[in-house]
Amino acid sequence: MPGVIVDCAMYRNGRRSQAPEDFSDALEEARAHGDAFLWVGMHEPTPAEFDRVSREFGLHKLAVEDALTAHQRPKLEVYDDSLFVVLKPVMYDDDEDTVTTGELMVFIGDSFVVTVRHGEGAALAAVRHRLEQEPDVLRHGPTAVLYAVSDAVVDHYIEVAAELQADLEELEAEVFAPNAPDSSKSTAARIYGFKRQVLEFRRATSPLLQPMDRLAFGNVPFVHDHARPFFRDVADHLTKANEYIEGLDRLLSDALAAHLAQMGVRQNDDMRKISAWAAMAAVPTMVAGIYGMNFDDMPELRQPWGYPAVVVLMVGLCLALHRMFKRRGWL
């Protein structure tokens, strides 16, 4: 299965070594040495492709079903012969302003680690390479792999949160920029879309708190006690990432409320201006309408100065109204 198995290697005393091609022989050899383990990395296997691996390593059928189905919440499941951990790596496209999540399943058992990856992100080649450069860490076996993978995923959470923070600052500048009423609808849409991306981010980070706490403070099978301080460090970073996300969500809610309030203020200003101009137009219309009535006995109707006097009256009333509205800030 060369297209599905990204990498398969045996590690003995913290260093990569030759292993039999057959999974059963490799696993038997790793268990025989005691200080060795087998790490199999897979990418989006089909049920048929994963069936052989699950049978060779004795993986629980419920965990196998979750690993194949994907779309799982981050969690930690303990079975008789293995430990099953689900992580959700997060990727952020700065050009599209979108957050996408992948899925990473980690099986840990007696002298073996199986990682199943769904999605294009969260490749483990860099994690594997870094571990191979640190044999003292890799010497601790499957626990070291689980720690390194979890640490890489959670550290990337903080990087993505920082990128979101930078984009949010640009969005806030747009919201509070003066003289930008034409972009009101697009700004509201951007804020709402940003909140959806933060919600997608939170779905990946929040459920992971409980599994990390169990690994850091609980007695979990297949995880050495001396690894707890390392998982506590991962849990601290995860808490920091969640605080970032909660802060982003609150700032977005405040920005949306401020934007809606600004829109209301602008609408009130527009209504005042319209009302002021309507009032100035109504006064001469009223005077002209009165003098347009077909009556003989109208004031100053037969006077030669009657027409200019009425025009001067209408202009004077309009100027007085304009001055009054200007003084009150309506114009």
Side-chain angles (χ1 to χ4, degrees):
M1 296 180 291
V4 176
I5 296 182
V6 180
D7 200 352
C8 177
M10 178 185 290
Y11 295 92
R12 184 177 301 168
N13 197 25
R15 299 188 181 277
R16 187 166 182 150
S17 62
Q18 287 295 116
E21 294 184 0
D22 185 76
F23 291 146
S24 297
D25 295 339
L27 184 60
E28 183 177 351
E29 182 177 332
R31 288 173 174 170
H33 284 84
D35 60 349
F37 70 95
L38 192 65
W39 182 359
V40 180
M42 309 185 72
H43 180 234
E44 296 183 354
T46 64
E49 292 167 335
F50 196 55
D51 180 64
R52 181 189 171 192
V53 176
S54 63
R55 284 188 287 105
E56 294 290 350
F57 291 97
L59 305 180
H60 197 279
K61 63 179 182 179
L62 293 178
V64 170
E65 181 180 351
D66 289 344
L68 292 173
T69 306
H71 304 293
Q72 304 294 320
R73 297 176 74 250
K75 62 181 179 179
L76 169 65
E77 298 287 350
V78 178
Y79 298 102
D80 294 336
D81 299 325
S82 62
L83 181 70
F84 179 57
V85 180
V86 178
L87 304 169
K88 292 183 75 70
V90 172
M91 290 72 66
Y92 181 61
D93 188 344
D94 192 32
D95 295 331
E96 300 292 333
D97 293 339
T98 56
V99 172
T100 56
T101 57
E103 291 194 40
L104 185 60
M105 287 78 171
V106 183
F107 294 87
I108 289 184
D110 182 13
S111 301
F112 72 85
V113 178
V114 177
T115 55
V116 181
R117 181 167 57 91
H118 293 268
E120 296 301 324
L124 297 179
V127 177
R128 188 187 289 264
H129 178 72
R130 190 179 77 240
L131 277 175
E132 290 177 354
Q133 303 302 314
E134 300 177 359
D136 291 338
V137 177
L138 199 56
R139 190 176 292 115
H140 293 95
T143 302
V145 176
L146 178 59
Y147 159 71
V149 171
S150 302
D151 186 56
V153 170
V154 172
D155 283 348
H156 193 60
Y157 287 162
I158 298 177
E159 295 175 7
V160 172
E163 294 179 8
L164 287 172
Q165 178 69 35
D167 286 350
L168 177 58
E169 291 175 358
E170 295 179 2
L171 186 58
E172 286 180 326
E174 180 180 330
V175 169
F176 295 103
N179 303 322
D182 295 337
S183 61
S184 296
K185 292 183 179 179
S186 62
T187 301
R190 283 191 62 195
I191 295 175
Y192 182 73
F194 212 119
K195 284 185 71 68
R196 289 187 63 87
Q197 304 310 315
V198 171
L199 177 61
E200 184 71 17
F201 197 178
R202 175 175 286 180
R203 287 172 180 168
T205 61
S206 294
L208 190 58
L209 281 171
Q210 184 177 5
M212 284 298 111
D213 284 342
R214 288 181 63 186
L215 291 170
F217 302 102
N219 186 14
V220 180
F222 307 105
V223 176
H224 297 298
D225 292 340
H226 58 72
R228 291 180 184 175
F230 298 94
F231 284 109
R232 282 200 294 270
D233 182 67
V234 176
D236 289 341
H237 291 176
L238 181 60
T239 301
K240 181 179 179 180
N242 276 287
E243 290 175 351
Y244 257 124
I245 297 168
E246 291 176 3
L248 289 173
D249 189 56
R250 287 195 298 269
L251 288 174
L252 282 169
S253 298
D254 294 342
L256 181 59
H259 177 65
L260 294 177
Q262 285 183 334
M263 289 182 62
V265 171
R266 289 169 184 165
Q267 289 175 351
N268 289 336
D269 290 340
D270 293 339
M271 288 301 299
R272 284 200 297 264
K273 292 177 181 179
I274 293 172
S275 300
W277 286 111
M280 287 188 290
V283 169
T285 301
M286 180 188 68
V287 175
I290 292 174
Y291 275 90
M293 295 180 181
N294 295 322
F295 293 106
D296 291 332
D297 298 328
M298 295 287 290
E300 315 302 336
L301 190 62
R302 303 295 179 183
Q303 300 296 328
W305 46 265
Y307 174 75
V310 172
V311 171
V312 171
L313 175 65
M314 290 189 292
V315 172
L317 290 175
C318 289
L319 291 175
L321 289 172
H322 185 275
R323 184 178 181 182
M324 180 184 70
F325 291 137
K326 193 76 173 178
R327 184 178 299 174
R328 294 184 177 182
W330 285 36
L331 292 174

